[in-house]
Amino acid sequence: MKPKLDLVIFGGTGDLSTRKLLPALFQLHRHQLAERLHRIIATGRATIPDEKFRDTVRDNLQTFLPAGEWSEEVWSTFRERLHYTTINASEPADYLALGQLLDNAQAPGRLYYLATLPSLYGEICRQLHAAAVVNEHSGVVLEKPLGHDLASCQEINEQVAQVFLEEHTFRIDHYLGKETVQNLLAVRFGNPLFSPMWRNNFVDNVQITVAEDIGVEGRADYYAKTGALRDMVQNHLLQLLSIVAMEPPVSLRAADIRDEKMKALRALVPINADKARECTVRGRYSAGAVNGTAVKGFLEEAEFESADATETFVAIKATINNWRWAGVPFYLRTGKRLSRRYSEIVIEYKRLPFSLFTNDPNELTNKLVIHLQPEESISLHTLNKKPGLTNKLSLQPVELHLTDASRGKADRYDAYERLLLDAINGDQTLFMRRDEVETAWRWIDTIIEAWEQNGTPIKDYNSGTMGPNAATALAAVDGRSWYE
Ligand SMILES: NC(=O)c1ccc[n+]([C@@H]2O[C@H](COP(=O)([O-])OP(=O)(O)OC[C@H]3O[C@@H](n4cnc5c(N)ncnc54)[C@H](OP(=O)(O)O)[C@@H]3O)[C@@H](O)[C@H]2O)c1
């Protein structure tokens, strides 16, 4: 049995803690899942007495917990676990005070969750080490973004590595905490029906879409320096791609799964300046209407110098050069102010070589569709006879839902519950290893350099659509279309 631990949240007063981390911890406490967890110590720069902090958390939980999940009874014991201590990231005395608070033989373990500006990660780790509050049972959780390019990511990783072992470092991509992403492993490796067909002999193309209907909202300044490629593709989309494309691991242990994901990322063909012209599309939303509401364009919202060099949409045709995937395009797209909010992975199987039926063989294909949000489910699109007393047989699509209908409320959880529980228990399977993150950045950096070299234009799209026409053309020139 691993020793009990205290969880220290840097950024304990911030948006992420308020909306995600503290509600997730409340739910873990409710279900008595986090047995190793002793205390939750939130930190921020302000001086706030424990009782006042608890009052604020109580109000926030009532707002941000899923409907019907608030419970006075659960709160009465959860609140006892909650503490607050003042830490300014660069103030050594604050870490010494933390050390006194942590000095607890009952819970020798420590898990530091860095939910604050990534530019502070190095400083926080250095100060934790200097104050001698890192021991052999200590781990660290790092929120994204880990840098804005390979060099800055390596710098953060290096600073963290001077204090924490890689096997105690948990890099979060909350998409990996989704039940359906884990179910994808079950579907792929648990079903002889699918496993042999998960390759280029049978799969025509793979599509990964992460669509947001919101704009940059209050994050315009951050976003103006970041853009869709860095903000979404480097982490979420490439993580999903690596799980779809990986070879079967030799076991479900973290190291074995991450080795295979890493190999898939390494097989991604770099998109240099020549390829970028035909394989990438950059877009930027202009004014339009989303869900019936008129909205402004990005440039009206982000009045920054570099804003006109920032894409809010990107589509990519990626290629994986290995035996399994050679010749299968992976179409990736993500953007803001699109027609609706959804994330999904589509595995589209090859077309019929010719049609016995009245349908055009190009018209209908089998697809495995993995929906990640807003609802999580998996469905298989098959073809059946169109019913009726007609002379000619024709096909129609029929969707088979592979989601467990008995999945009850108790089986539903937020991705942060899964990830916090795993980090507390020291299970790294659903976290990104250093080499994965850096390999992903290397691939992204090549695209950014190619865009700079080519002066790749950013094409406007109306808010409320699925991006610029060029994104449709990216698949259409190959005789394919995005699944909508
Ligand atoms: N919000 C999200 O949904 C989300 C999603 C994914 C990833 N993230 C990542 O999570 C991290 C936090 O995001 P957020 O949205 O929660 O940010 P936020 O609302 O701006 O909160 C920042 C937190 O950091 C603390 N902080 C700021 N400067 C500090 C300093 N010098 N020393 C000590 N503490 C300091 C703030 O505390 P005080 O102001 O009280 O001192 C506050 O608790 C970022 O890396 C972000 O990219 C956020």
Side-chain angles (χ1 to χ4, degrees), residues 9-20 43-46 48 84 87-90 95 113-118 120-121 124 143-145 172 174 219 222 236 416:
I9 307 178
F10 285 84
T13 55
D15 177 70
L16 184 70
S17 293
T18 304
R19 287 190 307 107
K20 292 290 182 184
T43 79
R45 286 164 298 182
I48 311 173
Y84 178 88
I87 299 188
N88 185 329
S90 57
Y95 293 84
Y113 196 122
L114 308 193
T116 185
L117 297 176
L120 297 177
Y121 291 178
I124 292 172
E143 265 298 338
K144 75 152 204 162
I172 288 238
H174 72 267
R219 296 168 71 224
Y222 159 77
H236 304 323
Y416 275 99

mmCIF file of all heavy atoms in Angstrom, residues 9-20 43-46 48 84 87-90 95 113-118 120-121 124 143-145 172 174 219 222 236 416, ligand 1:
data_model
loop_
_atom_site.group_PDB
_atom_site.id
_atom_site.type_symbol
_atom_site.label_atom_id
_atom_site.label_comp_id
_atom_site.label_asym_id
_atom_site.label_seq_id
_atom_site.Cartn_x
_atom_site.Cartn_y
_atom_site.Cartn_z
ATOM 1 N N ILE A 9 -2.388 22.304 -4.338
ATOM 2 C CA ILE A 9 -2.758 22.864 -5.648
ATOM 3 C C ILE A 9 -2.221 24.285 -5.772
ATOM 4 O O ILE A 9 -2.684 25.196 -5.069
ATOM 5 C CB ILE A 9 -4.289 22.880 -5.844
ATOM 6 C CG1 ILE A 9 -4.879 21.482 -5.601
ATOM 7 C CG2 ILE A 9 -4.641 23.375 -7.241
ATOM 8 C CD1 ILE A 9 -6.406 21.434 -5.731
ATOM 9 N N PHE A 10 -1.238 24.475 -6.638
ATOM 10 C CA PHE A 10 -0.809 25.841 -6.993
ATOM 11 C C PHE A 10 -1.829 26.358 -8.005
ATOM 12 O O PHE A 10 -2.124 25.694 -8.992
ATOM 13 C CB PHE A 10 0.594 25.814 -7.605
ATOM 14 C CG PHE A 10 1.658 25.607 -6.578
ATOM 15 C CD1 PHE A 10 1.981 24.328 -6.143
ATOM 16 C CD2 PHE A 10 2.314 26.689 -6.017
ATOM 17 C CE1 PHE A 10 2.954 24.137 -5.165
ATOM 18 C CE2 PHE A 10 3.284 26.507 -5.037
ATOM 19 C CZ PHE A 10 3.597 25.226 -4.609
ATOM 20 N N GLY A 11 -2.356 27.554 -7.766
ATOM 21 C CA GLY A 11 -3.473 28.020 -8.595
ATOM 22 C C GLY A 11 -4.794 27.524 -8.031
ATOM 23 O O GLY A 11 -5.761 27.329 -8.760
ATOM 24 N N GLY A 12 -4.823 27.333 -6.715
ATOM 25 C CA GLY A 12 -6.020 26.790 -6.054
ATOM 26 C C GLY A 12 -7.206 27.737 -6.057
ATOM 27 O O GLY A 12 -8.332 27.328 -5.743
ATOM 28 N N THR A 13 -6.954 29.022 -6.393
ATOM 29 C CA THR A 13 -8.059 29.988 -6.450
ATOM 30 C C THR A 13 -8.479 30.259 -7.896
ATOM 31 O O THR A 13 -9.364 31.068 -8.147
ATOM 32 C CB THR A 13 -7.619 31.333 -5.836
ATOM 33 O OG1 THR A 13 -6.425 31.759 -6.537
ATOM 34 C CG2 THR A 13 -7.322 31.217 -4.353
ATOM 35 N N GLY A 14 -7.818 29.627 -8.849
ATOM 36 C CA GLY A 14 -8.029 29.962 -10.266
ATOM 37 C C GLY A 14 -9.243 29.276 -10.879
ATOM 38 O O GLY A 14 -9.957 28.493 -10.232
ATOM 39 N N ASP A 15 -9.422 29.567 -12.152
ATOM 40 C CA ASP A 15 -10.582 29.075 -12.891
ATOM 41 C C ASP A 15 -10.600 27.541 -12.992
ATOM 42 O O ASP A 15 -11.629 26.904 -12.771
ATOM 43 C CB ASP A 15 -10.524 29.699 -14.307
ATOM 44 C CG ASP A 15 -11.628 29.199 -15.192
ATOM 45 O OD1 ASP A 15 -12.787 29.573 -14.940
ATOM 46 O OD2 ASP A 15 -11.351 28.411 -16.123
ATOM 47 N N LEU A 16 -9.461 26.959 -13.295
ATOM 48 C CA LEU A 16 -9.415 25.503 -13.459
ATOM 49 C C LEU A 16 -9.763 24.798 -12.150
ATOM 50 O O LEU A 16 -10.549 23.847 -12.126
ATOM 51 C CB LEU A 16 -8.025 25.068 -13.949
ATOM 52 C CG LEU A 16 -7.898 23.583 -14.235
ATOM 53 C CD1 LEU A 16 -8.690 23.185 -15.468
ATOM 54 C CD2 LEU A 16 -6.444 23.181 -14.408
ATOM 55 N N SER A 17 -9.175 25.285 -11.061
ATOM 56 C CA SER A 17 -9.469 24.677 -9.755
ATOM 57 C C SER A 17 -10.944 24.823 -9.420
ATOM 58 O O SER A 17 -11.582 23.886 -8.934
ATOM 59 C CB SER A 17 -8.645 25.350 -8.661
ATOM 60 O OG SER A 17 -7.299 25.062 -8.857
ATOM 61 N N THR A 18 -11.464 26.020 -9.674
ATOM 62 C CA THR A 18 -12.846 26.305 -9.294
ATOM 63 C C THR A 18 -13.836 25.452 -10.094
ATOM 64 O O THR A 18 -14.756 24.858 -9.539
ATOM 65 C CB THR A 18 -13.143 27.806 -9.559
ATOM 66 O OG1 THR A 18 -12.185 28.559 -8.836
ATOM 67 C CG2 THR A 18 -14.545 28.183 -9.131
ATOM 68 N N ARG A 19 -13.615 25.380 -11.409
ATOM 69 C CA ARG A 19 -14.615 24.711 -12.257
ATOM 70 C C ARG A 19 -14.413 23.211 -12.370
ATOM 71 O O ARG A 19 -15.360 22.463 -12.570
ATOM 72 C CB ARG A 19 -14.606 25.312 -13.664
ATOM 73 C CG ARG A 19 -15.211 26.687 -13.761
ATOM 74 C CD ARG A 19 -15.406 27.134 -15.192
ATOM 75 N NE ARG A 19 -14.189 27.035 -15.959
ATOM 76 C CZ ARG A 19 -13.958 26.121 -16.893
ATOM 77 N NH1 ARG A 19 -14.878 25.247 -17.202
ATOM 78 N NH2 ARG A 19 -12.810 26.096 -17.540
ATOM 79 N N LYS A 20 -13.140 22.776 -12.259
ATOM 80 C CA LYS A 20 -12.862 21.368 -12.546
ATOM 81 C C LYS A 20 -12.255 20.591 -11.374
ATOM 82 O O LYS A 20 -12.739 19.523 -11.021
ATOM 83 C CB LYS A 20 -11.902 21.267 -13.750
ATOM 84 C CG LYS A 20 -12.520 21.701 -15.058
ATOM 85 C CD LYS A 20 -13.549 20.686 -15.494
ATOM 86 C CE LYS A 20 -14.200 20.997 -16.805
ATOM 87 N NZ LYS A 20 -15.258 20.038 -17.131
ATOM 88 N N THR A 43 -3.447 26.805 -2.851
ATOM 89 C CA THR A 43 -2.584 27.969 -2.638
ATOM 90 C C THR A 43 -2.905 29.078 -3.644
ATOM 91 O O THR A 43 -3.434 28.823 -4.713
ATOM 92 C CB THR A 43 -1.077 27.616 -2.771
ATOM 93 O OG1 THR A 43 -0.756 27.546 -4.161
ATOM 94 C CG2 THR A 43 -0.723 26.309 -2.111
ATOM 95 N N GLY A 44 -2.552 30.289 -3.260
ATOM 96 C CA GLY A 44 -2.687 31.474 -4.107
ATOM 97 C C GLY A 44 -1.928 32.587 -3.410
ATOM 98 O O GLY A 44 -1.406 32.378 -2.293
ATOM 99 N N ARG A 45 -1.860 33.770 -4.041
ATOM 100 C CA ARG A 45 -1.054 34.839 -3.449
ATOM 101 C C ARG A 45 -1.757 35.572 -2.314
ATOM 102 O O ARG A 45 -1.122 36.130 -1.427
ATOM 103 C CB ARG A 45 -0.636 35.844 -4.527
ATOM 104 C CG ARG A 45 0.442 35.326 -5.432
ATOM 105 C CD ARG A 45 0.556 36.144 -6.671
ATOM 106 N NE ARG A 45 -0.674 36.097 -7.451
ATOM 107 C CZ ARG A 45 -0.860 36.698 -8.606
ATOM 108 N NH1 ARG A 45 0.106 37.426 -9.121
ATOM 109 N NH2 ARG A 45 -2.003 36.589 -9.257
ATOM 110 N N ALA A 46 -3.086 35.569 -2.340
ATOM 111 C CA ALA A 46 -3.819 36.313 -1.305
ATOM 112 C C ALA A 46 -3.743 35.580 0.030
ATOM 113 O O ALA A 46 -3.499 34.369 0.072
ATOM 114 C CB ALA A 46 -5.277 36.466 -1.731
ATOM 115 N N ILE A 48 -5.840 34.176 2.838
ATOM 116 C CA ILE A 48 -7.248 33.788 3.048
ATOM 117 C C ILE A 48 -7.294 32.755 4.179
ATOM 118 O O ILE A 48 -6.641 31.713 4.092
ATOM 119 C CB ILE A 48 -7.856 33.142 1.766
ATOM 120 C CG1 ILE A 48 -7.581 34.002 0.525
ATOM 121 C CG2 ILE A 48 -9.349 32.894 1.929
ATOM 122 C CD1 ILE A 48 -7.991 33.352 -0.796
ATOM 123 N N TYR A 84 -6.043 26.081 3.065
ATOM 124 C CA TYR A 84 -5.505 27.093 2.158
ATOM 125 C C TYR A 84 -4.224 27.647 2.765
ATOM 126 O O TYR A 84 -4.137 27.852 3.984
ATOM 127 C CB TYR A 84 -6.513 28.235 1.956
ATOM 128 C CG TYR A 84 -5.969 29.332 1.066
ATOM 129 C CD1 TYR A 84 -6.130 29.260 -0.305
ATOM 130 C CD2 TYR A 84 -5.253 30.406 1.607
ATOM 131 C CE1 TYR A 84 -5.589 30.241 -1.139
ATOM 132 C CE2 TYR A 84 -4.718 31.393 0.785
ATOM 133 C CZ TYR A 84 -4.887 31.297 -0.584
ATOM 134 O OH TYR A 84 -4.345 32.265 -1.395
ATOM 135 N N ILE A 87 0.879 31.275 -1.040
ATOM 136 C CA ILE A 87 2.198 31.105 -1.672
ATOM 137 C C ILE A 87 2.305 32.022 -2.870
ATOM 138 O O ILE A 87 1.502 31.946 -3.808
ATOM 139 C CB ILE A 87 2.450 29.647 -2.142
ATOM 140 C CG1 ILE A 87 2.408 28.674 -0.959
ATOM 141 C CG2 ILE A 87 3.810 29.559 -2.848
ATOM 142 C CD1 ILE A 87 2.824 27.253 -1.306
ATOM 143 N N ASN A 88 3.302 32.887 -2.804
ATOM 144 C CA ASN A 88 3.701 33.617 -3.995
ATOM 145 C C ASN A 88 4.851 32.811 -4.594
ATOM 146 O O ASN A 88 5.819 32.518 -3.897
ATOM 147 C CB ASN A 88 4.163 35.031 -3.599
ATOM 148 C CG ASN A 88 4.471 35.864 -4.827
ATOM 149 O OD1 ASN A 88 4.904 35.337 -5.855
ATOM 150 N ND2 ASN A 88 4.224 37.145 -4.719
ATOM 151 N N ALA A 89 4.733 32.465 -5.857
ATOM 152 C CA ALA A 89 5.658 31.496 -6.466
ATOM 153 C C ALA A 89 7.129 31.810 -6.204
ATOM 154 O O ALA A 89 7.944 30.904 -6.075
ATOM 155 C CB ALA A 89 5.406 31.423 -7.965
ATOM 156 N N SER A 90 7.468 33.095 -6.098
ATOM 157 C CA SER A 90 8.887 33.440 -5.976
ATOM 158 C C SER A 90 9.297 33.783 -4.537
ATOM 159 O O SER A 90 10.380 34.314 -4.304
ATOM 160 C CB SER A 90 9.189 34.630 -6.896
ATOM 161 O OG SER A 90 8.327 35.693 -6.545
ATOM 162 N N TYR A 95 7.225 28.911 1.025
ATOM 163 C CA TYR A 95 7.451 27.465 0.881
ATOM 164 C C TYR A 95 7.864 26.850 2.215
ATOM 165 O O TYR A 95 7.570 25.692 2.492
ATOM 166 C CB TYR A 95 8.514 27.188 -0.187
ATOM 167 C CG TYR A 95 8.056 27.555 -1.594
ATOM 168 C CD1 TYR A 95 8.158 28.866 -2.055
ATOM 169 C CD2 TYR A 95 7.524 26.599 -2.442
ATOM 170 C CE1 TYR A 95 7.747 29.216 -3.323
ATOM 171 C CE2 TYR A 95 7.106 26.937 -3.729
ATOM 172 C CZ TYR A 95 7.228 28.250 -4.160
ATOM 173 O OH TYR A 95 6.811 28.582 -5.425
ATOM 174 N N TYR A 113 0.091 19.896 -7.637
ATOM 175 C CA TYR A 113 -0.655 20.097 -8.885
ATOM 176 C C TYR A 113 -0.409 21.532 -9.335
ATOM 177 O O TYR A 113 -0.821 22.472 -8.659
ATOM 178 C CB TYR A 113 -2.154 19.853 -8.640
ATOM 179 C CG TYR A 113 -2.959 19.655 -9.904
ATOM 180 C CD1 TYR A 113 -3.695 18.502 -10.100
ATOM 181 C CD2 TYR A 113 -2.984 20.612 -10.910
ATOM 182 C CE1 TYR A 113 -4.433 18.303 -11.268
ATOM 183 C CE2 TYR A 113 -3.710 20.425 -12.072
ATOM 184 C CZ TYR A 113 -4.434 19.262 -12.246
ATOM 185 O OH TYR A 113 -5.150 19.083 -13.399
ATOM 186 N N LEU A 114 0.269 21.721 -10.466
ATOM 187 C CA LEU A 114 0.592 23.077 -10.921
ATOM 188 C C LEU A 114 -0.485 23.557 -11.898
ATOM 189 O O LEU A 114 -0.412 23.312 -13.106
ATOM 190 C CB LEU A 114 1.986 23.111 -11.560
ATOM 191 C CG LEU A 114 3.121 22.514 -10.725
ATOM 192 C CD1 LEU A 114 4.478 22.891 -11.312
ATOM 193 C CD2 LEU A 114 3.060 22.930 -9.257
ATOM 194 N N ALA A 115 -1.522 24.192 -11.318
ATOM 195 C CA ALA A 115 -2.623 24.729 -12.127
ATOM 196 C C ALA A 115 -2.468 26.242 -12.171
ATOM 197 O O ALA A 115 -3.353 27.001 -11.775
ATOM 198 C CB ALA A 115 -3.967 24.343 -11.526
ATOM 199 N N THR A 116 -1.308 26.664 -12.611
ATOM 200 C CA THR A 116 -1.029 28.097 -12.678
ATOM 201 C C THR A 116 -0.239 28.365 -13.950
ATOM 202 O O THR A 116 -0.115 27.477 -14.781
ATOM 203 C CB THR A 116 -0.271 28.519 -11.395
ATOM 204 O OG1 THR A 116 -0.103 29.908 -11.419
ATOM 205 C CG2 THR A 116 1.071 27.838 -11.248
ATOM 206 N N LEU A 117 0.253 29.566 -14.133
ATOM 207 C CA LEU A 117 0.937 29.876 -15.391
ATOM 208 C C LEU A 117 2.120 28.939 -15.632
ATOM 209 O O LEU A 117 2.984 28.807 -14.755
ATOM 210 C CB LEU A 117 1.486 31.309 -15.356
ATOM 211 C CG LEU A 117 0.495 32.447 -15.242
ATOM 212 C CD1 LEU A 117 1.240 33.774 -15.118
ATOM 213 C CD2 LEU A 117 -0.408 32.444 -16.448
ATOM 214 N N PRO A 118 2.222 28.312 -16.799
ATOM 215 C CA PRO A 118 3.357 27.415 -17.057
ATOM 216 C C PRO A 118 4.707 28.114 -16.918
ATOM 217 O O PRO A 118 5.704 27.468 -16.599
ATOM 218 C CB PRO A 118 3.122 26.946 -18.502
ATOM 219 C CG PRO A 118 1.649 27.060 -18.680
ATOM 220 C CD PRO A 118 1.227 28.254 -17.874
ATOM 221 N N LEU A 120 5.594 29.700 -14.547
ATOM 222 C CA LEU A 120 5.990 29.598 -13.132
ATOM 223 C C LEU A 120 6.429 28.190 -12.748
ATOM 224 O O LEU A 120 6.919 27.970 -11.636
ATOM 225 C CB LEU A 120 4.797 29.999 -12.234
ATOM 226 C CG LEU A 120 4.268 31.427 -12.343
ATOM 227 C CD1 LEU A 120 3.045 31.604 -11.444
ATOM 228 C CD2 LEU A 120 5.356 32.417 -11.951
ATOM 229 N N TYR A 121 6.241 27.205 -13.640
ATOM 230 C CA TYR A 121 6.489 25.809 -13.253
ATOM 231 C C TYR A 121 7.934 25.599 -12.776
ATOM 232 O O TYR A 121 8.178 24.937 -11.770
ATOM 233 C CB TYR A 121 6.207 24.842 -14.421
ATOM 234 C CG TYR A 121 4.740 24.707 -14.801
ATOM 235 C CD1 TYR A 121 4.367 23.891 -15.867
ATOM 236 C CD2 TYR A 121 3.741 25.371 -14.099
ATOM 237 C CE1 TYR A 121 3.034 23.759 -16.226
ATOM 238 C CE2 TYR A 121 2.408 25.253 -14.457
ATOM 239 C CZ TYR A 121 2.061 24.442 -15.529
ATOM 240 O OH TYR A 121 0.741 24.309 -15.883
ATOM 241 N N ILE A 124 8.510 27.274 -9.370
ATOM 242 C CA ILE A 124 7.831 26.552 -8.273
ATOM 243 C C ILE A 124 8.622 25.288 -7.914
ATOM 244 O O ILE A 124 8.877 25.013 -6.739
ATOM 245 C CB ILE A 124 6.364 26.224 -8.656
ATOM 246 C CG1 ILE A 124 5.540 27.508 -8.755
ATOM 247 C CG2 ILE A 124 5.736 25.268 -7.639
ATOM 248 C CD1 ILE A 124 4.124 27.341 -9.303
ATOM 249 N N GLU A 143 -0.162 21.117 -15.861
ATOM 250 C CA GLU A 143 -1.256 21.450 -16.786
ATOM 251 C C GLU A 143 -0.683 21.928 -18.112
ATOM 252 O O GLU A 143 0.460 22.383 -18.183
ATOM 253 C CB GLU A 143 -2.125 22.557 -16.171
ATOM 254 C CG GLU A 143 -3.340 22.059 -15.427
ATOM 255 C CD GLU A 143 -4.330 21.289 -16.288
ATOM 256 O OE1 GLU A 143 -4.330 21.462 -17.525
ATOM 257 O OE2 GLU A 143 -5.103 20.497 -15.725
ATOM 258 N N LYS A 144 -1.481 21.847 -19.138
ATOM 259 C CA LYS A 144 -1.048 22.388 -20.434
ATOM 260 C C LYS A 144 -1.237 23.907 -20.444
ATOM 261 O O LYS A 144 -2.027 24.400 -19.637
ATOM 262 C CB LYS A 144 -1.831 21.733 -21.566
ATOM 263 C CG LYS A 144 -3.282 22.231 -21.698
ATOM 264 C CD LYS A 144 -3.789 22.122 -23.101
ATOM 265 C CE LYS A 144 -4.897 23.094 -23.339
ATOM 266 N NZ LYS A 144 -5.270 23.449 -24.626
ATOM 267 N N PRO A 145 -0.620 24.702 -21.256
ATOM 268 C CA PRO A 145 0.298 24.264 -22.304
ATOM 269 C C PRO A 145 1.734 24.117 -21.784
ATOM 270 O O PRO A 145 2.190 24.961 -20.997
ATOM 271 C CB PRO A 145 0.219 25.421 -23.296
ATOM 272 C CG PRO A 145 -0.043 26.639 -22.452
ATOM 273 C CD PRO A 145 -0.847 26.165 -21.285
ATOM 274 N N ILE A 172 -0.833 16.488 -17.950
ATOM 275 C CA ILE A 172 -2.267 16.292 -18.202
ATOM 276 C C ILE A 172 -2.637 16.639 -19.634
ATOM 277 O O ILE A 172 -2.228 17.670 -20.161
ATOM 278 C CB ILE A 172 -3.089 17.218 -17.277
ATOM 279 C CG1 ILE A 172 -3.030 16.707 -15.852
ATOM 280 C CG2 ILE A 172 -4.512 17.386 -17.769
ATOM 281 C CD1 ILE A 172 -4.323 16.393 -15.205
ATOM 282 N N HIS A 174 -6.544 16.463 -20.729
ATOM 283 C CA HIS A 174 -7.782 15.948 -20.136
ATOM 284 C C HIS A 174 -8.586 15.072 -21.102
ATOM 285 O O HIS A 174 -9.437 14.310 -20.688
ATOM 286 C CB HIS A 174 -8.633 17.070 -19.541
ATOM 287 C CG HIS A 174 -9.289 17.950 -20.548
ATOM 288 N ND1 HIS A 174 -8.719 19.108 -20.993
ATOM 289 C CD2 HIS A 174 -10.459 17.837 -21.205
ATOM 290 C CE1 HIS A 174 -9.514 19.670 -21.872
ATOM 291 N NE2 HIS A 174 -10.579 18.921 -22.033
ATOM 292 N N ARG A 219 -9.879 34.964 -23.377
ATOM 293 C CA ARG A 219 -8.489 34.503 -23.549
ATOM 294 C C ARG A 219 -7.851 35.071 -24.810
ATOM 295 O O ARG A 219 -6.893 34.497 -25.341
ATOM 296 C CB ARG A 219 -8.463 32.981 -23.616
ATOM 297 C CG ARG A 219 -8.914 32.291 -22.336
ATOM 298 C CD ARG A 219 -9.131 30.814 -22.571
ATOM 299 N NE ARG A 219 -7.900 30.081 -22.771
ATOM 300 C CZ ARG A 219 -7.733 29.149 -23.717
ATOM 301 N NH1 ARG A 219 -8.709 28.886 -24.555
ATOM 302 N NH2 ARG A 219 -6.599 28.498 -23.832
ATOM 303 N N TYR A 222 -3.998 35.592 -24.715
ATOM 304 C CA TYR A 222 -3.265 34.316 -24.752
ATOM 305 C C TYR A 222 -3.368 33.717 -26.143
ATOM 306 O O TYR A 222 -2.389 33.283 -26.747
ATOM 307 C CB TYR A 222 -3.861 33.355 -23.703
ATOM 308 C CG TYR A 222 -3.554 31.895 -23.954
ATOM 309 C CD1 TYR A 222 -2.303 31.369 -23.645
ATOM 310 C CD2 TYR A 222 -4.514 31.039 -24.503
ATOM 311 C CE1 TYR A 222 -2.009 30.035 -23.880
ATOM 312 C CE2 TYR A 222 -4.224 29.710 -24.750
ATOM 313 C CZ TYR A 222 -2.974 29.208 -24.432
ATOM 314 O OH TYR A 222 -2.692 27.883 -24.686
ATOM 315 N N HIS A 236 -4.321 17.745 -27.733
ATOM 316 C CA HIS A 236 -5.504 16.874 -27.828
ATOM 317 C C HIS A 236 -5.531 16.042 -29.108
ATOM 318 O O HIS A 236 -5.717 14.829 -29.077
ATOM 319 C CB HIS A 236 -6.792 17.693 -27.794
ATOM 320 C CG HIS A 236 -6.913 18.576 -26.580
ATOM 321 N ND1 HIS A 236 -6.480 18.191 -25.341
ATOM 322 C CD2 HIS A 236 -7.422 19.815 -26.419
ATOM 323 C CE1 HIS A 236 -6.716 19.154 -24.477
ATOM 324 N NE2 HIS A 236 -7.291 20.153 -25.100
ATOM 325 N N TYR A 416 -11.445 14.903 -15.250
ATOM 326 C CA TYR A 416 -10.530 15.290 -14.166
ATOM 327 C C TYR A 416 -10.647 14.354 -12.958
ATOM 328 O O TYR A 416 -9.690 14.200 -12.194
ATOM 329 C CB TYR A 416 -10.749 16.752 -13.769
ATOM 330 C CG TYR A 416 -9.958 17.687 -14.657
ATOM 331 C CD1 TYR A 416 -10.550 18.339 -15.730
ATOM 332 C CD2 TYR A 416 -8.596 17.895 -14.441
ATOM 333 C CE1 TYR A 416 -9.811 19.175 -16.562
ATOM 334 C CE2 TYR A 416 -7.856 18.726 -15.255
ATOM 335 C CZ TYR A 416 -8.463 19.359 -16.312
ATOM 336 O OH TYR A 416 -7.717 20.184 -17.128
HETATM 337 N N1 LIG B 1 -9.146 27.145 -17.008
HETATM 338 C C1 LIG B 1 -9.188 26.067 -17.764
HETATM 339 O O1 LIG B 1 -10.249 25.553 -18.147
HETATM 340 C C2 LIG B 1 -7.899 25.396 -18.170
HETATM 341 C C3 LIG B 1 -7.959 24.298 -19.036
HETATM 342 C C4 LIG B 1 -6.781 23.644 -19.384
HETATM 343 C C5 LIG B 1 -5.577 24.087 -18.875
HETATM 344 N N2 LIG B 1 -5.542 25.185 -18.058
HETATM 345 C C6 LIG B 1 -4.244 25.611 -17.539
HETATM 346 O O2 LIG B 1 -4.303 25.618 -16.116
HETATM 347 C C7 LIG B 1 -3.507 26.668 -15.603
HETATM 348 C C8 LIG B 1 -4.370 27.603 -14.755
HETATM 349 O O3 LIG B 1 -5.383 28.138 -15.552
HETATM 350 P P1 LIG B 1 -6.585 28.990 -14.945
HETATM 351 O O4 LIG B 1 -7.531 29.212 -16.057
HETATM 352 O O5 LIG B 1 -7.089 28.386 -13.678
HETATM 353 O O6 LIG B 1 -5.844 30.365 -14.611
HETATM 354 P P2 LIG B 1 -6.348 31.558 -13.671
HETATM 355 O O7 LIG B 1 -7.809 31.521 -13.445
HETATM 356 O O8 LIG B 1 -5.735 32.792 -14.204
HETATM 357 O O9 LIG B 1 -5.664 31.212 -12.261
HETATM 358 C C9 LIG B 1 -4.292 31.341 -12.060
HETATM 359 C C10 LIG B 1 -3.964 30.836 -10.676
HETATM 360 O O10 LIG B 1 -2.564 30.954 -10.501
HETATM 361 C C11 LIG B 1 -2.329 31.697 -9.300
HETATM 362 N N3 LIG B 1 -1.132 32.535 -9.501
HETATM 363 C C12 LIG B 1 -0.950 33.467 -10.475
HETATM 364 N N4 LIG B 1 0.267 34.032 -10.330
HETATM 365 C C13 LIG B 1 0.845 33.474 -9.248
HETATM 366 C C14 LIG B 1 2.088 33.627 -8.604
HETATM 367 N N5 LIG B 1 3.012 34.501 -9.026
HETATM 368 N N6 LIG B 1 2.339 32.868 -7.527
HETATM 369 C C15 LIG B 1 1.448 31.974 -7.055
HETATM 370 N N7 LIG B 1 0.245 31.763 -7.638
HETATM 371 C C16 LIG B 1 -0.058 32.504 -8.712
HETATM 372 C C17 LIG B 1 -3.566 32.539 -9.108
HETATM 373 O O11 LIG B 1 -3.741 32.795 -7.736
HETATM 374 P P3 LIG B 1 -3.980 34.262 -7.105
HETATM 375 O O12 LIG B 1 -4.389 35.179 -8.230
HETATM 376 O O13 LIG B 1 -5.070 34.000 -6.112
HETATM 377 O O14 LIG B 1 -2.702 34.610 -6.521
HETATM 378 C C18 LIG B 1 -4.654 31.595 -9.586
HETATM 379 O O15 LIG B 1 -5.019 30.688 -8.579
HETATM 380 C C19 LIG B 1 -2.878 27.339 -16.823
HETATM 381 O O16 LIG B 1 -1.660 26.698 -17.096
HETATM 382 C C20 LIG B 1 -3.860 27.019 -17.927
HETATM 383 O O17 LIG B 1 -3.263 27.055 -19.199
HETATM 384 C C21 LIG B 1 -6.680 25.833 -17.695
#
